[in-house]
Amino acid sequence: MQIEGKNLSFRYGPKLPWVLKDVSLTVKEGERVGLVGPSGYGKSTLVRILAGYLKPEEGQVLLDGKPLPAKGVCPVQLIYQHPENAINPRWKMKKVLQESGMFREDIMGALGIEKDWLQRYPRELSGGELQRFCVARSLFPGTHFLFADEMSTMLDVITQAQIWDLMLKEVEARNLGLLMVTHNMELAKKICTRTINLEKMNHEMKI
Amino acid sequence: MKRQPVLSVEDLSVSFRMYDTGLEQADLQVISNLTLDVCPGEIVAIAGSSGSGKSLLAHAVMGLLPGNASVTGKILYKGMLLSQKEKEKLRGKEIALVPQSVSYLDPLMTVGAQVTGRTPDEKTLKAQKEIFQRFHLKEGTEKLYPFQLSGGMARRILVSTAVLSNAQIILADEPTPGLDLEMAVEALKIFRELADEGKSVLLITHDIDLAFHIADRVAVFYAGTTVEIADAEDFQKGPKALRHPYSKALWEALPQNGFKPIPGFQPYAKDLPKGCLFSPRCPYKTEECEKEIPMTKVRGGYVRCIHAD
């Protein structure tokens, strides 16, 4: 399997400058790709387009030659930088996992999710603990690609290492494709098989 | 020469009154017995676990805690005990905060006006232009509204605001996430320059590898208290120069230093362990660790561990 962005162009309004212009990239299964570049160059915009959250103005996103499925669970999953904004604040954590169909002992064990946390609300957990739930629910059986948009920048380095350790084990065991946005070159060196520099690829300069 | 600290926090504890089950209320202690000071011309970096009370400390100093918080201990500014009223008077003038969340920007005000104030004089405008240039924010950025900025741009605006405030103390709560290395280093350089002019900076950060190189001292937080305070130099040297097992674990978890995580989690404020807060994860735990552990001086730094030598 592979996901391909073909000549993607995007801007946040018809009169605003292009954020992305004519950007193409491919991520294959089993690959771990780092997306780097200065801030404000459209890294987050690009992964949101690839995951199907934004529609490109030009170009298309193809999963094995076909557009992303409009219905059902998406084989491409995005993990955000701020877990506290990605989880329903009025649900207990057990319900969060149940909704995604990932309320499974083996996953919770692998991700170090403690039983006690399931009865808590999101505000009663730290960012690192919440991020584990976000990883857990993105790992349902139909997932083939994981996109991580600065998934660990808000976490302390121990929690960061813990979460990446778990992610990499899953990515390896299931031969998933990984695309991560990061500013930390040391982290990219440790995790990625190759890196893409958006500054060099993007044809248009921005504000 | 012993310098007079410009800000000192003594034995600070912060707890929140929360509803438990039904109408029963319980106090959740999130900061316990925390002591820290910062001198003029000094950058003190605060490293440590996510959810260890780093931001709460900044909010306590600024007097921004919500109504259900109760604070004990002392916060002194230039030797003067600060009450809530005085904190409100000083904040933004003598003590400035770089908030952690980019949502602290006013969504209905151009970022230029937020950095300079509504009626800036020539000097402020010039300073604003200079700092935007240093941060690679193109001309015209000052006329934009926060929703038109990327995360990294908003972050640079927040830092600019604090720099232009001319405050004596800057509390920078995570000023670098979302910034590429060049910009992160530029932000830290600006803090260093301010410190060299005699200001004081408390730098809360997870980018500890950068912080170790520009800070003078580093304080390591865990579960709401300080476990080690030492010269930044020791943190550059590595685990052998460090004193607390948690500080060593932090160093070893950096991607460039092995990327090795220790197992386990920081305890939740509701069920803190007795004695040493790190003991459930500590390989050197003994029975003695269940007693109260004071900060002690070891090799020129302070550590909250009875096994440190």
Side-chain angles (χ1 to χ4, degrees):
Chain A
M1 265 194 146
Q2 65 170 38
I3 186 158
E4 191 185 7
K6 257 184 157 173
N7 308 100
L8 299 171
S9 298
F10 185 87
R11 51 185 169 181
Y12 281 97
K15 282 186 190 151
L16 294 172
W18 292 99
V19 176
L20 299 167
K21 186 73 190 161
D22 212 12
V23 174
S24 302
L25 86 166
T26 307
V27 181
K28 293 195 174 70
E29 244 173 342
E31 247 191 333
R32 301 193 298 272
V33 183
L35 184 61
V36 300
S39 79
Y41 273 63
K43 297 185 297 299
S44 297
T45 308
L46 181 57
V47 290
R48 267 174 224 163
I49 290 173
L50 288 173
Y53 285 91
L54 289 174
K55 262 196 141 51
E57 201 164 311
E58 292 162 12
Q60 48 186 345
V61 176
L62 299 171
L63 185 69
D64 274 348
K66 286 185 283 254
L68 289 176
K71 273 187 184 169
V73 281
C74 188
V76 180
Q77 288 289 314
L78 178 61
I79 301 170
Y80 282 94
Q81 183 181 354
H82 300 286
E84 62 276 22
N85 295 343
I87 288 179
N88 188 339
R90 298 172 68 167
W91 281 5
K92 285 192 176 167
M93 299 317 294
K94 187 172 175 181
K95 197 167 171 191
V96 172
L97 279 189
Q98 280 169 334
E99 185 220 20
S100 66
M102 290 309 290
F103 185 55
R104 291 189 355 218
E105 295 255 331
D106 55 325
I107 291 284
M108 290 194 285
L111 286 170
I113 291 174
E114 296 197 0
K115 287 256 157 59
D116 185 41
W117 300 352
L118 296 169
Q119 299 309 324
R120 292 194 202 152
Y121 286 102
R123 64 178 156 80
E124 296 175 314
L125 291 169
S126 75
E129 289 157 357
L130 279 179
Q131 197 63 291
R132 284 166 217 266
F133 284 90
C134 292
V135 172
R137 61 177 186 176
S138 67
L139 285 173
F140 61 86
T143 303
H144 290 281
F145 291 96
L146 278 178
F147 294 166
D149 186 2
E150 300 213 47
M151 175 180 91
S152 59
T153 27
M154 296 305 279
L155 306 175
D156 65 82
V157 289
I158 293 177
T159 312
Q160 182 170 326
Q162 278 179 343
I163 291 206
W164 277 113
D165 193 44
L166 306 165
M167 278 278 278
L168 288 180
K169 275 187 196 142
E170 280 293 313
V171 164
E172 213 134 280
R174 294 168 49 177
N175 200 33
L176 303 177
L178 175 74
L179 180 70
M180 67 176 292
V181 176
T182 185
H183 287 300
N184 189 336
M185 293 310 289
E186 297 289 343
L187 184 66
K189 258 194 248 166
K190 277 276 169 194
I191 286 164
C192 302
T193 46
R194 66 181 169 107
T195 55
I196 297 175
N197 191 330
L198 196 56
E199 188 182 12
K200 291 187 185 128
M201 242 172 57
N202 207 348
H203 294 199
E204 199 88 353
M205 298 299 285
K206 289 139 311 288
I207 353 165
Chain B
M1 188 186 81
K2 177 87 182 130
R3 283 179 300 178
Q4 185 71 31
V6 59
L7 179 76
S8 48
V9 175
E10 287 172 21
D11 214 21
L12 181 77
S13 295
V14 175
S15 56
F16 289 106
R17 181 132 278 232
M18 304 252 274
Y19 278 102
D20 209 0
T21 33
L23 288 174
E24 246 170 73
Q25 293 185 330
D27 281 326
L28 197 63
Q29 182 151 343
V30 285
I31 291 184
S32 26
N33 310 101
L34 187 144
T35 298
L36 188 71
D37 57 22
V38 51
C39 297
E42 191 182 41
I43 298 181
V44 176
I46 299 181
S49 192
S50 316
S52 63
K54 303 190 292 294
S55 302
L56 281 175
L57 168 67
H59 286 213
V61 172
M62 297 293 285
L64 293 173
L65 293 175
N68 64 336
S70 57
V71 180
T72 59
K74 292 182 195 161
I75 296 172
L76 300 128
Y77 174 69
K78 293 183 172 166
M80 174 180 76
L81 191 64
L82 289 186
S83 65
Q84 179 64 24
K85 236 191 191 154
E86 278 150 341
K87 284 178 193 167
E88 281 167 24
K89 231 166 55 196
L90 291 175
R91 71 185 177 207
K93 298 185 185 77
E94 302 282 315
I95 309 176
L97 176 73
V98 181
Q100 178 177 22
S101 173
V102 290
S103 61
Y104 276 68
L105 288 169
D106 185 334
L108 298 178
M109 199 171 167
T110 62
V111 295
Q114 297 192 51
V115 170
T116 57
R118 281 195 193 276
T119 46
D121 50 30
E122 294 266 309
K123 214 176 109 207
T124 322
L125 275 176
K126 200 169 145 254
Q128 176 251 316
K129 284 217 170 90
E130 261 169 40
I131 191 152
F132 275 28
Q133 218 161 28
R134 287 189 70 173
F135 271 143
H136 296 193
L137 293 165
K138 291 228 171 94
E139 221 163 298
T141 307
E142 70 276 6
K143 297 197 188 92
L144 298 177
Y145 288 90
F147 78 95
Q148 294 169 304
L149 307 178
S150 81
M153 292 163 80
R155 190 73 65 190
R156 283 174 268 170
I157 300 291
L158 288 174
V159 175
S160 311
T161 308
V163 171
L164 258 64
S165 70
N166 239 334
Q168 279 307 307
I169 304 174
I170 293 180
L171 305 173
D173 192 355
E174 302 262 11
T176 50
L179 299 183
D180 54 84
L181 185 62
E182 189 194 345
M183 283 300 108
V185 169
E186 188 64 32
L188 296 181
K189 253 196 223 157
I190 290 174
F191 288 134
R192 186 70 258 172
E193 284 164 24
L194 288 174
D196 291 344
E197 284 166 22
K199 310 257 167 73
S200 309
V201 181
L202 263 184
L203 175 67
I204 299 170
T205 186
H206 288 310
D207 289 327
I208 51 177
D209 43 345
L210 301 180
F212 292 164
H213 287 96
I214 69 126
D216 299 292
R217 280 188 300 152
V218 177
V220 179
F221 278 35
Y222 187 78
T225 195
T226 39
V227 293
E228 179 165 351
I229 302 175
D231 284 340
E233 215 174 286
D234 294 348
F235 286 83
Q236 291 171 29
K237 283 184 201 149
K240 281 215 174 102
L242 296 175
R243 296 154 193 86
H244 197 279
Y246 181 71
S247 321
K248 295 180 192 191
L250 266 185
W251 194 90
E252 281 164 355
L254 279 171
Q256 57 269 46
N257 296 342
F259 209 33
K260 267 198 314 254
I262 52 162
F265 312 101
Q266 174 176 259
Y268 181 48
K270 226 180 213 168
D271 26 39
L272 291 179
K274 256 202 274 170
C276 172
L277 298 172
F278 185 67
S279 63
R281 295 169 83 179
C282 184
Y284 312 106
K285 190 194 170 187
T286 57
E287 231 169 77
E288 292 284 283
C289 297
E290 285 179 21
K291 292 178 189 149
E292 199 161 311
I293 317 283
M295 280 298 249
T296 45
K297 200 166 183 179
V298 174
R299 282 184 277 126
Y302 292 87
V303 62
R304 203 183 287 276
C305 175
I306 48 172
H307 299 297
D309 51 25

